[in-house]
Protein backbone atom coordinates (compact mmCIF):
# COMPACT_ATOMS: atom_id res chain seq x y z
CA UNK A 1 0.00 0.00 0.00
CA UNK A 2 1.49 3.36 -0.95
CA UNK A 3 1.85 6.39 1.31
CA UNK A 4 -1.26 8.14 -0.07
CA UNK A 5 -3.55 5.12 0.45
CA UNK A 6 -2.15 4.48 3.93
CA UNK A 7 -2.50 8.13 5.00
CA UNK A 8 -6.09 8.26 3.70
CA UNK A 9 -6.90 5.01 5.47
CA UNK A 10 -5.48 6.27 8.78
CA UNK A 11 -7.34 9.56 8.36
CA UNK A 12 -10.67 7.82 7.67
CA UNK A 13 -10.23 5.52 10.65
CA UNK A 14 -9.47 8.53 12.88
CA UNK A 15 -12.50 10.39 11.50
CA UNK A 16 -14.67 7.37 12.29
CA UNK A 17 -13.34 7.10 15.87
CA UNK A 18 -13.95 10.84 16.37
CA UNK A 19 -17.42 10.64 14.81
CA UNK A 20 -16.68 13.46 12.37
CA UNK A 21 -19.50 14.71 10.17
CA UNK A 22 -19.08 13.29 6.64
CA UNK A 23 -19.06 16.78 5.08
CA UNK A 24 -16.19 18.02 7.23
CA UNK A 25 -14.37 14.71 6.73
CA UNK A 26 -14.54 15.22 2.98
CA UNK A 27 -13.47 18.87 3.15
CA UNK A 28 -10.43 18.05 5.33
CA UNK A 29 -9.06 15.70 2.66
CA UNK A 30 -9.26 18.22 -0.18
CA UNK A 31 -6.05 20.27 -0.59
CA UNK A 32 -6.31 24.06 -0.38
CA UNK A 33 -4.22 24.57 -3.54
CA UNK A 34 -2.09 22.55 -5.94
CA UNK A 35 0.57 24.35 -7.96
CA UNK A 36 2.38 22.97 -11.00
CA UNK A 37 5.05 25.00 -12.79
CA UNK A 38 7.40 24.44 -15.69
CA UNK A 39 11.00 25.42 -14.90
CA UNK A 40 13.21 25.91 -17.95
CA UNK A 41 16.88 26.66 -17.39
CA UNK A 42 20.00 27.01 -19.58
CA UNK A 43 22.40 24.11 -19.00
CA UNK A 44 26.15 24.64 -18.56
CA UNK A 45 26.73 23.35 -22.10
CA UNK A 46 24.40 25.99 -23.56
CA UNK A 47 21.38 23.74 -24.17
CA UNK A 48 17.96 24.25 -22.58
CA UNK A 49 16.33 21.81 -20.19
CA UNK A 50 12.90 21.83 -18.60
CA UNK A 51 11.68 20.39 -15.29
CA UNK A 52 8.24 20.21 -13.66
CA UNK A 53 7.88 21.70 -10.19
CA UNK A 54 5.01 21.09 -7.76
CA UNK A 55 3.73 22.58 -4.53
CA UNK A 56 0.68 21.16 -2.79
CA UNK A 57 -0.75 23.36 -0.02
CA UNK A 58 -3.08 21.15 1.95
CA UNK A 59 -4.60 23.07 4.87
CA UNK A 60 -4.16 26.45 6.55
CA UNK A 61 -6.81 26.39 9.26
CA UNK A 62 -4.23 26.35 12.08
CA UNK A 63 -1.62 28.64 10.52
CA UNK A 64 0.77 29.00 7.58
CA UNK A 65 1.43 25.83 5.60
CA UNK A 66 4.73 24.05 6.18
CA UNK A 67 6.58 21.30 4.39
CA UNK A 68 9.67 20.24 2.51
CA UNK A 69 10.78 20.63 -1.09
CA UNK A 70 12.36 17.53 -2.61
CA UNK A 71 14.49 17.20 -5.74
CA UNK A 72 14.00 13.66 -6.95
CA UNK A 73 13.34 11.96 -10.31
CA UNK A 74 10.09 10.43 -9.02
CA UNK A 75 8.35 13.50 -7.69
CA UNK A 76 4.84 12.21 -8.20
CA UNK A 77 1.82 14.51 -7.63
CA UNK A 78 0.02 11.76 -5.68
CA UNK A 79 2.90 11.27 -3.30
CA UNK A 80 3.39 15.01 -2.82
CA UNK A 81 -0.32 15.20 -2.01
CA UNK A 82 -0.08 12.44 0.62
CA UNK A 83 2.97 14.03 2.22
CA UNK A 84 1.31 17.47 2.33
CA UNK A 85 -1.69 15.93 4.07
CA UNK A 86 0.59 14.08 6.49
CA UNK A 87 2.25 17.41 7.39
CA UNK A 88 -1.18 18.82 8.32
CA UNK A 89 -1.71 16.06 10.88
CA UNK A 90 1.94 16.08 12.01
CA UNK A 91 2.02 19.80 12.84
CA UNK A 92 -1.30 19.41 14.68
CA UNK A 93 0.04 16.46 16.74
CA UNK A 94 3.15 18.49 17.62
CA UNK A 95 0.83 21.40 18.51
CA UNK A 96 2.69 23.94 16.41
CA UNK A 97 0.64 26.61 14.59
CA UNK A 98 1.04 25.33 11.03
CA UNK A 99 -0.82 23.44 8.35
CA UNK A 100 0.64 21.02 5.82
CA UNK A 101 2.34 21.50 2.46
CA UNK A 102 4.88 19.65 0.33
CA UNK A 103 6.62 20.30 -2.95
CA UNK A 104 9.33 19.22 -5.27
CA UNK A 105 10.94 19.23 -8.67
CA UNK A 106 11.22 16.11 -10.81
CA UNK A 107 14.97 16.05 -11.43
CA UNK A 108 18.07 14.01 -10.55
CA UNK A 109 20.24 16.36 -8.44
CA UNK A 110 23.48 14.40 -8.91
CA UNK A 111 23.19 14.81 -12.70
CA UNK A 112 23.09 18.62 -12.35
CA UNK A 113 26.00 20.90 -11.57
CA UNK A 114 25.83 23.28 -8.60
CA UNK A 115 25.20 26.24 -10.89
CA UNK A 116 22.42 24.35 -12.72
CA UNK A 117 20.81 23.50 -9.37
CA UNK A 118 21.03 27.14 -8.34
CA UNK A 119 19.39 28.32 -11.58
CA UNK A 120 16.66 25.69 -11.22
CA UNK A 121 15.97 26.69 -7.60
CA UNK A 122 15.80 30.38 -8.51
CA UNK A 123 13.42 29.81 -11.46
CA UNK A 124 11.18 27.64 -9.26
CA UNK A 125 11.16 30.39 -6.60
CA UNK A 126 10.31 33.05 -9.21
CA UNK A 127 7.32 30.97 -10.31
CA UNK A 128 5.91 30.42 -6.81
CA UNK A 129 7.10 33.48 -4.85
CA UNK A 130 3.64 35.06 -4.74
CA UNK A 131 2.06 31.81 -3.51
CA UNK A 132 4.43 31.21 -0.57
CA UNK A 133 5.11 33.64 2.27
CA UNK A 134 6.07 34.01 5.93
CA UNK A 135 2.40 33.82 6.91
CA UNK A 136 1.24 31.67 3.98
CA UNK A 137 3.57 28.78 3.25
CA UNK A 138 7.08 28.21 4.60
CA UNK A 139 9.19 25.62 2.69
CA UNK A 140 12.04 23.52 4.13
CA UNK A 141 14.63 21.02 2.84
CA UNK A 142 13.72 17.42 2.01
CA UNK A 143 15.23 14.61 -0.10
CA UNK A 144 17.82 16.02 -2.50
CA UNK A 145 17.75 19.54 -1.05
CA UNK A 146 19.70 21.12 1.81
CA UNK A 147 20.59 24.36 3.59
CA UNK A 148 22.21 25.75 0.41
CA UNK A 149 18.95 25.22 -1.54
CA UNK A 150 17.13 27.18 1.20
CA UNK A 151 19.70 29.98 0.96
CA UNK A 152 18.98 30.35 -2.78
CA UNK A 153 15.21 30.40 -2.18
CA UNK A 154 15.66 33.03 0.56
CA UNK A 155 17.80 35.20 -1.72
CA UNK A 156 15.46 34.93 -4.72
CA UNK A 157 12.32 35.51 -2.62
CA UNK A 158 13.95 38.53 -0.93
CA UNK A 159 14.49 40.21 -4.33
CA UNK A 160 10.69 40.45 -4.62
CA UNK A 161 9.69 40.94 -0.98
CA UNK A 162 12.65 42.48 0.86
CA UNK A 163 14.87 40.58 3.31
CA UNK A 164 12.70 37.72 4.63
CA UNK A 165 14.68 35.15 6.63
CA UNK A 166 11.47 33.49 7.88
CA UNK A 167 10.40 32.44 4.36
CA UNK A 168 12.21 29.10 4.66
CA UNK A 169 13.58 26.98 7.49
CA UNK A 170 16.57 24.67 7.53
CA UNK A 171 18.78 27.59 6.42
CA UNK A 172 22.52 27.89 7.02
CA UNK A 173 23.24 29.31 10.51
CA UNK A 174 24.87 32.40 8.91
CA UNK A 175 21.57 33.33 7.22
CA UNK A 176 19.29 32.92 10.24
CA UNK A 177 19.20 29.14 10.58
CA UNK A 178 18.63 27.78 14.08
CA UNK A 179 21.21 26.07 16.24
CA UNK A 180 20.17 22.47 16.88
CA UNK A 181 18.24 22.15 13.60
CA UNK A 182 20.73 19.69 12.13
CA UNK A 183 20.24 17.19 14.96
CA UNK A 184 16.57 17.99 15.55
CA UNK A 185 14.83 14.99 13.98
CA UNK A 186 17.23 12.48 15.54
CA UNK A 187 17.07 14.23 18.91
CA UNK A 188 13.27 14.32 18.72
CA UNK A 189 13.27 10.56 18.03
CA UNK A 190 15.31 10.04 21.21
CA UNK A 191 13.01 12.28 23.32
CA UNK A 192 10.01 10.38 21.92
CA UNK A 193 11.66 7.05 22.75
CA UNK A 194 12.40 8.24 26.31
CA UNK A 195 8.77 9.27 26.80
CA UNK A 196 7.51 5.88 25.54
CA UNK A 197 9.97 3.83 27.62
CA UNK A 198 9.22 5.86 30.76
CA UNK A 199 5.55 4.92 30.32
CA UNK A 200 6.68 1.26 30.54
CA UNK A 201 8.96 1.85 33.53
CA UNK A 202 12.13 1.56 31.46
CA UNK A 203 14.86 3.89 30.27
CA UNK A 204 17.29 4.07 27.35
CA UNK A 205 20.20 2.71 29.39
CA UNK A 206 18.33 -0.58 30.03
CA UNK A 207 17.70 -1.30 26.35
CA UNK A 208 19.37 -2.58 23.18
CA UNK A 209 18.75 -0.79 19.88
CA UNK A 210 18.91 -1.64 16.18
CA UNK A 211 18.94 1.32 13.79
CA UNK A 212 18.17 1.07 10.06
CA UNK A 213 19.53 4.02 8.10
CA UNK A 214 22.65 5.91 9.14
CA UNK A 215 22.04 9.24 7.44
CA UNK A 216 21.21 12.45 9.29
CA UNK A 217 18.42 11.00 11.47
CA UNK A 218 19.90 7.56 12.16
CA UNK A 219 23.40 8.78 12.99
CA UNK A 220 22.16 11.47 15.39
CA UNK A 221 19.76 9.05 17.08
CA UNK A 222 22.57 6.48 17.48
CA UNK A 223 24.97 9.11 18.89
CA UNK A 224 22.45 10.40 21.44
CA UNK A 225 21.30 6.91 22.48
CA UNK A 226 24.96 5.95 22.98
CA UNK A 227 25.53 9.09 25.10
CA UNK A 228 22.54 8.19 27.28
CA UNK A 229 23.98 4.73 27.96
CA UNK A 230 21.80 2.78 25.52
CA UNK A 231 23.41 -0.15 23.73
CA UNK A 232 23.26 0.08 19.92
CA UNK A 233 23.75 -3.55 18.81
CA UNK A 234 23.14 -3.18 15.06
CA UNK A 235 23.13 -0.46 12.40
CA UNK A 236 22.77 -0.53 8.62
CA UNK A 237 22.52 1.74 5.60
CA UNK A 238 22.71 1.26 1.81
CA UNK A 239 26.48 0.59 2.05
CA UNK A 240 26.10 -2.36 4.45
CA UNK A 241 25.43 -3.36 8.03
CA UNK A 242 27.22 -3.90 11.33
CA UNK A 243 26.43 -5.83 14.49
CA UNK A 244 28.01 -6.19 17.90
CA UNK A 245 25.99 -7.85 20.70
CA UNK A 246 28.01 -6.03 23.38
CA UNK A 247 27.27 -2.64 21.79
CA UNK A 248 28.82 -0.71 18.89
CA UNK A 249 31.25 2.14 19.61
CA UNK A 250 29.13 4.82 17.95
CA UNK A 251 31.62 7.75 18.10
CA UNK A 252 34.22 5.44 16.51
CA UNK A 253 31.75 4.34 13.84
CA UNK A 254 30.83 7.96 13.04
CA UNK A 255 34.52 8.80 12.54
CA UNK A 256 34.95 5.69 10.36
CA UNK A 257 31.92 6.62 8.24
CA UNK A 258 33.15 10.21 7.83
CA UNK A 259 36.56 9.03 6.58
CA UNK A 260 35.52 6.06 4.41
CA UNK A 261 31.95 7.05 3.48
CA UNK A 262 30.59 3.66 4.49
CA UNK A 263 29.88 1.37 7.45
CA UNK A 264 31.78 -1.64 6.05
CA UNK A 265 35.20 -2.69 7.42
CA UNK A 266 34.72 -1.05 10.81
CA UNK A 267 36.80 -2.99 13.32
CA UNK A 268 34.31 -2.69 16.20
CA UNK A 269 31.76 -5.23 14.96
CA UNK A 270 30.87 -7.97 12.48
CA UNK A 271 29.33 -7.49 9.05
CA UNK A 272 25.54 -7.77 8.93
CA UNK A 273 23.36 -8.17 5.84
CA UNK A 274 21.31 -4.91 5.80
CA UNK A 275 18.19 -7.00 5.04
CA UNK A 276 18.58 -8.79 8.37
CA UNK A 277 18.71 -5.63 10.46
CA UNK A 278 14.94 -5.34 10.86
CA UNK A 279 14.70 -8.85 12.33
CA UNK A 280 17.85 -8.53 14.45
CA UNK A 281 17.74 -9.39 18.15
CA UNK A 282 17.05 -6.10 20.02
CA UNK A 283 14.58 -4.39 22.38
CA UNK A 284 13.98 -1.28 20.26
CA UNK A 285 13.98 -1.12 16.46
CA UNK A 286 14.34 2.30 14.83
CA UNK A 287 13.77 2.41 11.04
CA UNK A 288 15.23 5.76 9.87
CA UNK A 289 15.42 5.18 6.14
CA UNK A 290 12.73 4.38 3.59
CA UNK A 291 8.99 3.84 3.71
CA UNK A 292 7.39 0.39 3.58
CA UNK A 293 10.37 -1.54 4.99
CA UNK A 294 8.26 -3.49 7.50
CA UNK A 295 5.78 -5.58 5.53
CA UNK A 296 3.95 -8.89 5.68
CA UNK A 297 7.11 -10.78 4.63
CA UNK A 298 9.27 -9.75 7.59
CA UNK A 299 6.88 -8.43 10.28
CA UNK A 300 6.42 -11.85 11.85
CA UNK A 301 10.18 -12.21 12.39
CA UNK A 302 10.69 -8.86 14.14
CA UNK A 303 12.19 -9.51 17.59
CA UNK A 304 12.00 -5.96 18.97
CA UNK A 305 9.39 -5.08 21.61
CA UNK A 306 9.21 -1.45 20.49
CA UNK A 307 9.34 0.05 16.98
CA UNK A 308 10.08 3.78 16.74
CA UNK A 309 9.11 5.09 13.29
CA UNK A 310 11.81 7.66 12.55
CA UNK A 311 11.27 7.26 8.79
CA UNK A 312 8.03 8.30 7.06
CA UNK A 313 5.62 5.39 6.72
CA UNK A 314 8.11 2.54 7.39
CA UNK A 315 5.39 0.08 8.50
CA UNK A 316 2.77 -0.88 5.97
CA UNK A 317 -0.77 -1.57 7.29
CA UNK A 318 -0.42 -5.37 7.02
CA UNK A 319 2.78 -5.30 9.10
CA UNK A 320 1.00 -2.99 11.54
CA UNK A 321 -1.62 -5.67 12.17
CA UNK A 322 0.91 -8.53 12.49
CA UNK A 323 3.10 -6.55 14.92
CA UNK A 324 0.12 -5.44 17.03
CA UNK A 325 -1.00 -9.08 17.38
CA UNK A 326 2.51 -9.95 18.59
CA UNK A 327 2.25 -7.19 21.21
CA UNK A 328 4.93 -5.01 19.61
CA UNK A 329 4.41 -1.35 20.49
CA UNK A 330 4.76 1.02 17.52
CA UNK A 331 5.45 4.72 18.03
CA UNK A 332 4.02 6.30 14.86
CA UNK A 333 6.03 8.45 12.43
CA UNK A 334 3.52 11.29 12.62
CA UNK A 335 4.77 11.85 16.18
CA UNK A 336 8.19 10.14 16.37
CA UNK A 337 9.88 12.17 13.63
CA UNK A 338 8.21 15.52 14.37
CA UNK A 339 11.39 16.91 15.98
CA UNK A 340 12.51 18.35 12.64
CA UNK A 341 9.37 20.37 11.98
CA UNK A 342 9.22 21.46 15.64
CA UNK A 343 12.71 22.99 15.48
CA UNK A 344 11.80 24.46 12.06
CA UNK A 345 9.00 26.23 13.92
CA UNK A 346 11.54 27.48 16.49
CA UNK A 347 13.71 28.77 13.61
CA UNK A 348 10.73 30.64 12.10
CA UNK A 349 9.86 32.15 15.51
CA UNK A 350 13.45 33.31 15.99
CA UNK A 351 13.52 34.89 12.50
CA UNK A 352 10.23 36.73 13.04
CA UNK A 353 11.42 38.07 16.40
CA UNK A 354 14.88 38.81 15.06
CA UNK A 355 16.19 37.22 18.26
CA UNK A 356 18.18 33.97 18.13
CA UNK A 357 18.27 31.32 20.87
CA UNK A 358 21.24 29.34 22.17
CA UNK A 359 21.34 25.61 21.49
CA UNK A 360 20.35 24.58 25.03
CA UNK A 361 17.14 26.56 24.77
CA UNK A 362 16.32 24.93 21.42
CA UNK A 363 16.90 21.43 22.83
CA UNK A 364 15.00 22.11 26.08
CA UNK A 365 12.00 23.49 24.20
CA UNK A 366 12.09 20.48 21.85
CA UNK A 367 12.04 18.10 24.80
CA UNK A 368 9.09 19.99 26.28
CA UNK A 369 7.09 19.76 23.03
CA UNK A 370 7.90 16.08 22.37
CA UNK A 371 7.06 15.03 25.94
CA UNK A 372 3.83 17.01 26.04
CA UNK A 373 2.71 15.58 22.69
CA UNK A 374 3.32 12.05 23.93
CA UNK A 375 1.05 12.61 26.94
CA UNK A 376 -1.62 14.15 24.70
CA UNK A 377 -1.46 11.07 22.46
CA UNK A 378 -1.73 8.74 25.47
CA UNK A 379 -4.83 10.65 26.63
CA UNK A 380 -6.43 10.12 23.20
CA UNK A 381 -5.53 6.39 23.38
CA UNK A 382 -7.32 6.14 26.72
CA UNK A 383 -10.35 8.16 25.62
CA UNK A 384 -10.88 6.18 22.41
CA UNK A 385 -9.34 2.86 23.51
CA UNK A 386 -6.98 2.73 20.52
CA UNK A 387 -3.30 2.16 19.71
CA UNK A 388 -0.64 4.89 19.54
CA UNK A 389 -1.02 5.40 15.77
CA UNK A 390 -4.75 6.09 16.09
CA UNK A 391 -4.11 8.11 19.26
CA UNK A 392 -1.81 10.38 17.25
CA UNK A 393 -4.10 10.56 14.21
CA UNK A 394 -7.22 11.31 16.28
CA UNK A 395 -5.28 14.00 18.18
CA UNK A 396 -4.10 15.67 14.94
CA UNK A 397 -7.33 15.33 12.97
CA UNK A 398 -9.41 16.54 15.92
CA UNK A 399 -7.29 19.70 16.30
CA UNK A 400 -7.58 20.53 12.59
CA UNK A 401 -11.33 19.78 12.53
CA UNK A 402 -11.91 22.00 15.59
CA UNK A 403 -9.95 24.88 14.06
CA UNK A 404 -11.87 24.48 10.79
CA UNK A 405 -15.25 24.52 12.55
CA UNK A 406 -14.32 27.49 14.74
CA UNK A 407 -13.29 29.50 11.67
CA UNK A 408 -16.67 28.81 10.04
CA UNK A 409 -16.08 26.55 7.08
CA UNK A 410 -19.54 26.47 5.47
CA UNK A 411 -19.72 30.20 4.77
Amino acid sequence: MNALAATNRNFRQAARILGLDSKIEKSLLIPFREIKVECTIPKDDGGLVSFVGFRVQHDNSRGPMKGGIRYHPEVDPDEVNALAQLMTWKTAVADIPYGGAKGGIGCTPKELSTSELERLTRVFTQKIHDLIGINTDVPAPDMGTNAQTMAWILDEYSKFHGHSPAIVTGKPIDLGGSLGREAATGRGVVFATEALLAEHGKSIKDMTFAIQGFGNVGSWAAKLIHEKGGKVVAVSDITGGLKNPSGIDIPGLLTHKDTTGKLANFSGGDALDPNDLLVHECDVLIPCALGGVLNRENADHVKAKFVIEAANHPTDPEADEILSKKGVIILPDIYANAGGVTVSYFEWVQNIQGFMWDEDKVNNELKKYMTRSFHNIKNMCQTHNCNLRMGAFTLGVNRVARATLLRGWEA
Side-chain angles (χ1 to χ4, degrees):
M1 185 182 274
N2 68 11
L4 180 63
T7 305
N8 282 346
R9 175 182 153 150
N10 287 329
F11 168 76
R12 293 216 157 82
Q13 207 177 329
R16 212 169 41 242
I17 292 170
L18 291 164
L20 286 190
D21 175 71
S22 66
K23 294 203 294 295
I24 188 141
E25 178 180 342
K26 196 175 170 193
S27 88
L28 286 177
L29 273 182
I30 299 166
F32 168 75
R33 182 192 278 143
E34 297 189 35
I35 304 155
K36 181 181 170 192
V37 293
E38 200 75 42
C39 303
T40 307
I41 57 160
K43 287 178 68 177
D44 292 345
D45 64 13
L48 274 186
V49 63
S50 200
F51 302 97
V52 179
F54 299 96
R55 185 75 176 162
V56 174
Q57 299 174 330
H58 177 253
D59 188 278
N60 59 3
S61 60
R62 296 179 64 258
M65 294 164 288
K66 188 94 191 72
I69 289 179
R70 53 177 54 182
Y71 288 2
H72 192 268
E74 276 115 44
V75 171
D76 157 62
D78 260 1
E79 190 186 20
V80 174
N81 225 313
L83 293 166
Q85 189 201 129
L86 203 57
M87 284 302 294
T88 298
W89 317 133
K90 183 178 288 188
T91 49
V93 169
D95 205 16
I96 52 182
Y98 286 142
K102 203 75 171 186
I105 299 177
C107 67
T108 310
K110 56 177 184 293
E111 289 174 9
L112 297 171
S113 69
T114 305
S115 58
E116 286 168 339
L117 280 170
E118 176 172 356
R119 287 197 288 276
L120 179 57
T121 304
R122 289 182 184 278
V123 169
F124 183 55
T125 308
Q126 286 163 19
K127 302 253 172 158
I128 66 166
H129 78 89
D130 52 349
L131 297 167
I132 60 174
I134 294 166
N135 296 305
T136 316
D137 178 4
V138 180
D142 200 315
M143 274 159 63
T145 54
N146 56 24
Q148 179 59 69
T149 320
M150 297 305 106
W152 292 328
I153 296 176
L154 160 63
D155 183 70
E156 198 59 35
Y157 182 86
S158 296
K159 290 176 184 175
F160 296 96
H161 302 272
H163 182 58
S164 318
I167 184 54
V168 284
T169 58
K171 297 181 295 294
I173 302 290
D174 296 327
L175 291 176
S178 177
L179 296 171
R181 175 69 189 84
E182 187 59 32
T185 310
R187 192 177 294 273
V189 165
V190 175
F191 288 149
T193 306
E194 283 185 312
L196 176 65
L197 292 177
E199 183 78 20
H200 292 267
K202 298 183 166 69
S203 71
I204 283 181
K205 67 178 190 312
D206 313 322
M207 306 299 256
T208 58
F209 296 81
I211 299 176
Q212 184 199 37
F214 211 65
N216 172 285
V217 182
S219 59
W220 274 105
K223 180 176 167 4
L224 296 165
I225 285 166
H226 184 79
E227 283 172 11
K228 289 175 186 285
K231 199 188 279 187
V232 181
V233 293
V235 297
S236 73
D237 67 2
I238 45 174
T239 68
L242 190 72
K243 63 180 178 186
N244 185 338
S246 49
I248 296 167
D249 166 23
I250 298 295
L253 181 60
L254 287 163
T255 312
H256 171 79
K257 197 192 168 197
D258 280 346
T259 39
T260 66
K262 49 183 192 283
L263 298 178
N265 307 327
F266 177 62
S267 54
D270 303 319
L272 168 73
D273 179 341
N275 299 321
D276 296 339
L277 183 115
L278 298 165
V279 297
H280 195 73
E281 193 67 56
C282 64
D283 298 317
V284 184
L285 173 63
I286 312 184
C288 303
L290 295 168
V293 293
L294 289 167
N295 48 46
R296 65 160 176 253
E297 270 76 58
N298 58 13
D300 214 20
H301 307 296
V302 168
K303 299 182 183 68
K305 301 170 196 67
F306 300 94
V307 174
I308 314 289
E309 295 190 332
N312 278 321
H313 187 59
T315 316
D316 77 15
E318 291 168 319
D320 228 350
E321 241 151 80
I322 297 168
L323 291 167
S324 297
K325 282 202 181 81
K326 287 177 60 170
V328 176
I329 292 164
I330 302 173
L331 198 60
D333 53 359
I334 184 180
Y335 160 68
N337 65 27
V341 71
T342 304
V343 176
S344 275
Y345 162 60
F346 298 161
E347 180 177 335
W348 179 77
V349 166
Q350 292 169 75
N351 295 152
I352 286 174
Q353 290 193 331
F355 179 81
M356 304 309 283
W357 303 352
D358 63 32
E359 194 164 346
D360 282 345
K361 179 168 166 73
V362 174
N363 294 340
N364 291 338
E365 289 290 330
L366 176 59
K367 182 165 191 173
K368 210 186 300 180
Y369 270 77
M370 293 301 291
T371 310
R372 191 171 56 201
S373 292
F374 180 77
H375 294 300
N376 290 336
I377 292 169
K378 281 305 281 189
N379 290 341
M380 283 310 249
C381 293
Q382 277 147 9
T383 307
H384 299 294
N385 188 23
C386 59
N387 64 15
L388 288 164
R389 190 180 308 282
M390 274 306 114
F393 262 90
T394 50
L395 176 65
V397 171
N398 192 40
R399 279 180 173 153
V400 179
R402 287 216 315 250
T404 305
L405 288 167
L406 285 167
R407 291 181 68 143
W409 64 291
E410 287 185 295

